Amino acid sequence: MSEQVQMMRRDAVCEVRLNRPDKRNALTLQMYGALARALEDAERDPAVRVVLLSGAGACFTAGNDLKDFLAGPSFDDPQHPTVRFVRMLPVFSKPLVCAVHGPTVGIGVTMLLHCDLVLAAERSTRLILPFVELGLVPEAASSLLLPRLVGPQRAAELLLLGEPLDAPTAHACGLVNRVVDDEGLMDEARSVADALAAKPPEAMRRAKRLLRLDPHGEIGKRMDAEVAEFTACLAGQEFASAARAFFEKRR
Ligand code: COA
């Protein structure tokens, strides 16, 4: 397991921590591969009842590594590590808990739509969906799930305008279950994960399946549509100049 994605077992809880703090936990292809493997292992292991996701350092994650977007393989390949991870999210059968803090960008936010319980640090959390700003489109079925969760107008504000959302606002619109003191975030997330892990696992699995039922396969179809648009955008000038601008600002 890559050190940039750390896995720790605490009884029946598998903690998965993003650990590339110098790059704000921006997710590389290798990290997506490690995340996909972590979920596959957790799915297979009957001793794991809950997965808790979090990030080390100043934030949960700055989203996809923009250098990998510039140079990575095509998303058409189902074995693409990002695609593998994203496709696992809606079918993962055990409760997923996520603890977010700091700027949380792109996939860092869209993956929350597939989590069962989300805790956000009160002071530092900023949820940002800068897809259009970057010349890209929403992913991880967020174009379907976010309007369902927060309503189409609110979703447009978040996905088209890309303005940051703080923890209390994210809580008010249903993206986050609990707002917690920054200092107490991991303790509270562990206590929620432990409470889920203590419930009867078979009933938990069945209840989660009912809550996430997608009888017409809409999530997969929306992901297909998003991947097609995203792939076209990645080859476009709007993305190339936005990515260049991001890295030039840091020289
Ligand atoms: N891809 C690649 N590198 C990234 C990155 C990303 N998504 N996000 C941050 N980094 C790198 C920076 O280039 C910088 O590297 P350097 O130290 O070698 O210059 C380092 O991480 C720290 O980033 P910095 O911007 O200085 O940190 P910050 O705390 O001031 O700001 C963010 C944090 C998350 C607000 C800011 O980094 C950001 O906006 N990142 C881009 C987010 C993004 O557009 N993601 C894609 C979504 S689809």
Side-chain angles (χ1 to χ4, degrees):
M1 182 62 58
S2 147
E3 281 180 17
Q4 292 179 342
V5 176
Q6 298 177 326
M7 268 176 79
M8 292 151 284
R9 269 291 293 285
R10 251 185 347 96
D11 301 323
V13 177
C14 171
E15 291 195 10
V16 179
R17 195 163 178 80
L18 307 177
N19 183 40
R20 195 189 176 211
D22 54 321
K23 301 289 182 191
R24 304 298 182 265
N25 299 327
L27 293 167
T28 60
L29 293 172
Q30 191 204 14
M31 290 167 78
Y32 279 114
L35 281 170
R37 281 193 300 281
L39 289 189
E40 282 157 7
D41 290 351
E43 184 71 68
R44 266 194 304 268
D45 185 347
V48 172
R49 294 187 175 184
V50 176
V51 171
L52 167 59
L53 297 159
S54 65
C59 68
F60 175 49
T61 171
N64 205 102
D65 188 294
L66 289 167
K67 287 196 174 133
D68 278 359
F69 268 166
L70 288 166
S74 164
F75 284 95
D76 297 343
D77 179 358
Q79 285 314 307
H80 188 296
T82 310
V83 175
R84 256 179 70 213
F85 170 65
V86 167
R87 298 265 177 186
M88 280 209 68
L89 288 170
V91 295
F92 188 68
S93 72
K94 301 175 185 185
L96 272 173
V97 178
C98 191
V100 299
H101 71 290
T104 294
V105 189
I107 183 80
V109 182
T110 58
M111 77 168 86
L112 304 182
L113 299 165
H114 301 277
C115 290
D116 302 292
L117 288 168
V118 179
L119 295 91
E122 183 164 25
R123 198 182 55 246
S124 63
T125 302
R126 298 286 177 276
L127 305 182
I128 314 167
L129 292 159
F131 297 112
V132 173
E133 188 80 21
L134 286 168
L136 298 172
V137 294
E139 34 72 326
S142 57
S143 62
L144 176 74
L145 299 176
L146 194 62
R148 271 188 192 168
L149 181 66
V150 303
Q153 272 77 13
R154 206 26 158 333
E157 202 174 320
L158 295 170
L159 286 169
L160 305 184
L161 210 50
E163 287 185 350
L165 205 59
D166 62 19
T169 316
H171 181 253
C173 68
L175 251 171
V176 155
N177 296 84
R178 292 188 194 180
V179 178
V180 184
D181 273 356
D182 282 54
E183 295 68 30
L185 178 68
M186 285 312 295
D187 284 349
E188 181 77 10
R190 287 186 177 119
S191 133
V192 167
D194 289 347
L196 287 167
K199 308 275 183 212
E202 182 57 25
M204 180 65 74
R205 197 179 56 77
R206 289 175 189 269
K208 171 162 176 166
R209 196 170 61 203
L210 288 166
L211 281 164
R212 297 275 167 186
L213 209 60
D214 180 25
H216 306 297
E218 283 181 276
I219 292 177
K221 285 182 206 154
R222 185 60 65 99
M223 285 182 176
D224 290 343
E226 289 172 346
V227 163
E229 300 287 358
F230 207 97
T231 305
C233 287
L234 279 179
Q237 273 315 305
E238 291 178 348
F239 172 66
S241 64
R244 203 167 42 241
F246 175 75
F247 288 114
E248 276 169 3
K249 254 189 275 163
R250 276 150 185 81
R251 283 205 186 118

